[in-house]
Amino acid sequence: MPRPLSATIHTAALASNLAIARKYDPKSKIWAVVKANAYGHGLARAFPGLRATDGFGLLDLEEAAKLRELGWAGPILLLEGFFRPTDIDVIDRYSLTTAVHCDEQLRMLEMARLSKPVNLQLKMNSGMNRLGYTPEKFRTAWERARAVQGVGQITLMTHFSDADGPRGIAHQLDAFERGAEGIAGARSLANSAAVLWHPDSHFDWVRPGIMLYGASPSGVTADIADTGLKPAMTLQSELIAVQTVEAGSSIGYGSTFTAGESMRIGVVACGYADGYPRVAPEGTPVIVDGVKTKLVGRVSMDMLTVDLTPCPNAGIGSRVELWGANLPIDDVASAAGTIGYELMCAVAQRVPVRAE
Ligand SMILES: *Cc1c(COP(=O)(O)O)cnc(C)c1O
């Protein structure tokens, strides 16, 4: 028997989350962002749930090729563009759309031999200061891109740093408008947070990622409570041992938890080698036997320990949900000082995953 730990991908939740993203602006086309192996869900497993999208956004040429093998004939966007001249051959072969964010990429494109027109998303740095041309340099870059032989449509793109936070997007929208003024072409600006909370940013194409997987762009579950978004991944396991300990006994490495009274402790087959965050402190929520309880003691490589006081009927073999359909991943993430994005991307290779 394998360990009882596994992840389930909920295909219907992906499809429903995509439909919700579309409802926020039925006029905008959608790049469903599936970078990082579909945020840890598995590209091939996520694809059937997301195939009603208009296009897929990702980073990796191999993942782009895999989408073609899965039968996707529509647009695929390389969100960071390409890194070497030989990448352009792959872009050409698989008819990929590519971001272009710097002159080095434009130079490679000018030297390339393309068999058919390649569509670009020219990226503006409107304030994030990672990738892209400043508003001042944007028009020159656009003119240069337009002059490249074999360049098809050019979409104007930027990315927000604070669409989920108090600073918002106004400063970046202003910068974008300034840099893009008078330039024809479709616009692509919005990530999930902007899809949900900044309708003035939607334009022609939106690029939702995290919302498709049913987690909150802000990392706060309450922020998406009224959206209808559903978790697309459940990480579940079982109790593999139960200990009854006396008052004063401590649990696990470092003896970080000491029982104040006699209590039952459940041992769960899931540890940091599975992607569960080792930094998760005492009190991190876990569902055992359908009842919400909490982590106690340190997370170890292959196991973690939980308080069975609220679940008197739980025993070896009882079902444990680490996050998912009944326990928002962001609640676990925020207890551990991170966001749902990181946890879903970190599910380890050794965890068996199946789609339903
Ligand atoms: C990852 C990414 C997105 C999606 O962001 P979410 O916050 O997951 O919606 C959109 N655009 C770009 C350029 C990205 O890299």
Side-chain angles (χ1 to χ4, degrees):
M1 277 287 283
R3 290 167 77 221
L5 175 66
S6 68
T8 305
I9 306 307
H10 310 296
T11 307
L14 289 166
S16 153
N17 295 342
L18 178 67
I20 288 170
R22 202 177 281 294
K23 268 204 329 226
Y24 276 82
D25 207 323
K27 295 185 306 302
S28 304
K29 289 191 178 176
I30 296 179
W31 293 111
V33 178
V34 292
K35 62 191 179 191
N37 199 25
Y39 288 45
H41 292 63
L43 188 59
R45 281 183 294 268
F47 174 67
L50 296 175
R51 65 185 316 156
T53 188
D54 301 293
F56 286 98
L58 42 66
L59 305 181
D60 194 273
L61 288 172
E62 276 174 30
E63 288 185 347
K66 194 165 166 188
L67 266 182
R68 290 289 182 239
E69 281 158 27
L70 289 167
W72 178 252
I76 299 176
L77 168 61
L78 295 173
L79 292 161
E80 290 182 350
F82 49 91
F83 309 96
R84 304 206 158 53
T86 47
D87 296 343
I88 300 175
D89 302 335
V90 184
I91 288 172
D92 190 38
R93 177 165 358 121
Y94 292 106
S95 305
L96 309 179
T97 299
T98 180
V100 166
H101 62 78
C102 63
D103 281 340
E104 287 69 19
Q105 289 179 330
L106 275 182
R107 194 167 312 125
M108 286 187 253
L109 268 180
E110 285 164 348
M111 313 280 281
R113 301 241 304 273
L114 295 161
S115 73
K116 54 186 171 303
V118 59
N119 293 334
L120 306 186
Q121 301 239 338
L122 193 65
K123 186 150 188 184
M124 191 194 298
N125 170 15
S126 57
M128 176 84 140
N129 292 313
R130 288 191 318 193
L131 302 181
Y133 292 95
T134 58
E136 293 68 35
K137 297 198 168 131
F138 195 70
R139 171 171 278 280
T140 309
W142 178 77
E143 280 165 358
R144 184 172 166 191
R146 203 174 51 141
V148 176
Q149 188 112 58
V151 163
Q153 292 164 2
I154 306 178
T155 297
L156 316 187
M157 170 189 187
T158 196
H159 192 55
F160 297 127
S161 59
D162 291 76
D164 61 321
R167 191 175 181 201
I169 65 165
H171 63 295
Q172 286 190 262
L173 265 186
D174 283 352
F176 183 80
E177 297 293 353
R178 181 156 41 86
E181 197 184 345
I183 303 180
R187 266 76 170 151
S188 170
L189 285 74
N191 55 4
S192 296
V195 168
L196 292 169
W197 301 315
H198 298 286
D200 52 339
S201 71
H202 292 173
F203 297 99
D204 306 283
W205 285 86
V206 295
R207 304 188 308 270
I210 195 72
M211 70 182 291
L212 303 178
Y213 306 100
S216 173
S218 63
V220 178
T221 302
D223 290 349
I224 57 164
D226 59 354
T227 59
L229 295 169
K230 296 190 196 85
M233 176 199 289
T234 296
L235 183 65
Q236 66 255 314
S237 188
E238 290 177 9
L239 295 185
I240 58 167
V242 174
Q243 303 292 340
T244 302
V245 300
E246 299 309 318
S249 304
S250 58
I251 318 289
Y253 287 117
S255 302
T256 58
F257 176 82
T258 301
E261 54 196 333
S262 173
M263 65 187 289
R264 293 202 318 144
I265 298 292
V267 181
V268 181
C270 180
Y272 63 77
D274 301 302
Y276 195 91
R278 181 177 176 279
V279 295
E282 179 191 337
T284 302
V286 182
I287 292 181
V288 179
D289 213 14
V291 179
K292 196 194 265 192
T293 181
K294 61 173 187 167
L295 190 79
V296 290
R298 212 174 256 169
V299 174
S300 51
M301 186 182 286
D302 312 305
M303 286 174 265
L304 55 81
T305 39
V306 294
D307 177 5
L308 293 184
T309 309
C311 4
N313 299 323
I316 290 182
S318 287
R319 186 176 182 275
V320 176
E321 180 171 322
L322 285 320
W323 61 67
N326 305 293
L327 178 56
I329 193 168
D330 285 310
D331 289 354
V332 179
S334 57
T338 183
I339 50 178
Y341 293 75
E342 186 177 14
L343 297 191
M344 54 180 76
C345 290
V347 172
Q349 201 80 49
R350 77 176 189 179
V351 177
V353 189
R354 64 181 180 84
E356 62 163 34

Coordinates of all heavy atoms in Angstrom, one line a residue, residues 33 35 39 59 79 123 130 157 159 190-193 207-211 217 341, ligand 1:
V33 N -3.9 31.4 -16.7 CA -2.4 31.3 -16.4 C -2.2 29.9 -15.7 O -2.8 29.6 -14.7 CB -2.0 32.4 -15.5 CG1 -0.5 32.3 -15.1 CG2 -2.2 33.8 -16.2
K35 N 1.2 28.6 -15.5 CA 2.6 28.5 -15.2 C 2.8 27.6 -14.0 O 1.9 27.4 -13.3 CB 3.2 29.9 -15.0 CG 2.7 30.6 -13.8 CD 3.1 32.1 -13.9 CE 2.6 32.8 -12.7 NZ 2.8 34.3 -12.8
Y39 N 0.1 25.9 -11.4 CA 0.2 26.2 -10.0 C 0.2 24.9 -9.1 O -0.5 24.8 -8.1 CB -1.0 27.1 -9.5 CG -0.9 28.6 -10.0 CD1 -0.6 28.9 -11.3 CD2 -1.3 29.6 -9.2 CE1 -0.6 30.2 -11.8 CE2 -1.2 31.0 -9.6 CZ -0.9 31.2 -10.9 OH -0.9 32.5 -11.4
L59 N 5.2 30.0 -18.7 CA 6.6 30.5 -18.9 C 7.4 29.5 -19.7 O 8.4 29.9 -20.3 CB 7.3 30.6 -17.5 CG 6.6 31.5 -16.5 CD1 7.5 31.5 -15.3 CD2 6.4 32.9 -17.0
L79 N 4.8 34.2 -20.8 CA 4.6 35.4 -20.0 C 5.9 36.2 -19.8 O 5.9 37.4 -19.6 CB 4.0 35.1 -18.7 CG 2.6 34.6 -18.7 CD1 2.2 33.8 -17.4 CD2 1.6 35.7 -18.9
K123 N 5.7 44.4 -23.4 CA 5.5 44.6 -21.9 C 6.0 45.9 -21.5 O 7.2 46.3 -21.7 CB 6.2 43.5 -21.1 CG 5.8 43.6 -19.7 CD 5.8 42.2 -19.0 CE 5.3 42.3 -17.6 NZ 5.4 41.1 -16.9
R130 N 10.1 45.0 -12.6 CA 10.7 43.7 -12.8 C 11.0 43.6 -14.3 O 12.1 43.7 -14.7 CB 9.8 42.5 -12.4 CG 9.7 42.4 -10.9 CD 9.0 41.0 -10.5 NE 7.9 40.7 -11.4 CZ 7.0 39.8 -11.2 NH1 7.1 39.0 -10.1 NH2 6.0 39.6 -12.0
M157 N 1.0 45.2 -22.9 CA 0.8 44.4 -21.7 C 1.5 45.1 -20.5 O 2.6 45.7 -20.7 CB 1.4 43.1 -22.0 CG 1.6 42.1 -20.8 SD 2.6 40.7 -21.3 CE 2.5 39.7 -19.8
H159 N 1.8 44.6 -15.9 CA 1.5 43.7 -14.7 C 1.5 44.6 -13.5 O 2.3 45.5 -13.3 CB 2.6 42.6 -14.6 CG 2.2 41.5 -13.7 ND1 1.1 40.8 -13.8 CD2 2.9 41.0 -12.6 CE1 1.0 39.8 -12.9 NE2 2.1 39.9 -12.2
A190 N -4.8 42.8 -16.5 CA -5.3 42.3 -15.2 C -4.9 40.9 -14.8 O -5.1 40.0 -15.6 CB -6.9 42.4 -15.2
N191 N -4.3 40.8 -13.6 CA -4.2 39.5 -13.0 C -5.5 39.2 -12.2 O -6.4 39.9 -12.3 CB -2.9 39.5 -12.1 CG -3.0 40.6 -11.0 OD1 -4.0 41.4 -11.0 ND2 -1.9 40.8 -10.3
S192 N -5.5 38.1 -11.4 CA -6.7 37.7 -10.7 C -7.3 38.9 -9.8 O -8.5 39.2 -9.8 CB -6.5 36.5 -9.8 OG -6.2 35.4 -10.5
A193 N -6.4 39.5 -9.1 CA -6.8 40.6 -8.2 C -7.5 41.7 -8.9 O -8.5 42.3 -8.5 CB -5.6 41.1 -7.4
R207 N -5.6 38.2 -17.4 CA -4.7 37.1 -17.2 C -4.9 36.5 -15.7 O -4.0 36.6 -14.9 CB -3.3 37.5 -17.3 CG -3.0 38.2 -18.7 CD -1.5 38.4 -18.8 NE -0.9 39.2 -17.7 CZ -0.8 40.5 -17.7 NH1 -1.2 41.3 -18.7 NH2 -0.3 41.1 -16.6
P208 N -6.0 35.9 -15.5 CA -6.2 35.3 -14.1 C -5.4 34.0 -13.9 O -5.3 33.2 -14.8 CB -7.7 35.0 -14.1 CG -8.1 34.8 -15.5 CD -7.2 35.7 -16.3
G209 N -4.8 33.9 -12.7 CA -4.1 32.7 -12.4 C -4.8 32.1 -11.1 O -5.7 31.3 -11.2
I210 N -4.4 32.7 -10.0 CA -4.8 32.1 -8.7 C -6.3 31.9 -8.5 O -6.7 30.9 -7.9 CB -4.2 32.9 -7.5 CG1 -4.2 32.2 -6.2 CG2 -4.9 34.3 -7.4 CD1 -3.3 31.0 -6.1
M211 N -7.1 32.8 -9.0 CA -8.5 32.6 -8.8 C -9.1 31.4 -9.5 O -10.0 30.8 -9.0 CB -9.3 33.9 -9.3 CG -9.4 34.1 -10.8 SD -10.2 35.7 -11.2 CE -11.9 35.3 -10.8
P217 N -6.1 36.1 -4.2 CA -4.9 36.8 -4.6 C -4.3 37.5 -3.4 O -3.0 37.7 -3.4 CB -5.4 37.8 -5.6 CG -6.7 37.4 -6.1 CD -7.3 36.5 -5.0
Y341 N -0.7 30.5 -3.1 CA 0.1 30.3 -4.2 C 1.3 29.4 -3.9 O 1.6 28.4 -4.7 CB 0.7 31.6 -4.7 CG -0.1 32.7 -5.3 CD1 -0.8 33.5 -4.5 CD2 0.0 33.0 -6.6 CE1 -1.5 34.6 -5.0 CE2 -0.7 34.1 -7.2 CZ -1.5 34.9 -6.3 OH -2.1 36.0 -6.8
Ligands
LIG1 C1 1.4 34.9 -12.8 C2 1.0 35.9 -13.7 C3 -0.4 36.3 -13.7 C4 -1.4 35.6 -12.9 O1 -1.4 36.2 -11.6 P1 -2.4 35.7 -10.5 O2 -2.1 36.6 -9.3 O3 -2.2 34.3 -10.2 O4 -3.8 35.9 -11.1 C5 -0.7 37.2 -14.7 N1 0.2 37.9 -15.4 C6 1.5 37.6 -15.3 C7 2.5 38.3 -16.2 C8 1.9 36.6 -14.5 O5 3.2 36.3 -14.4

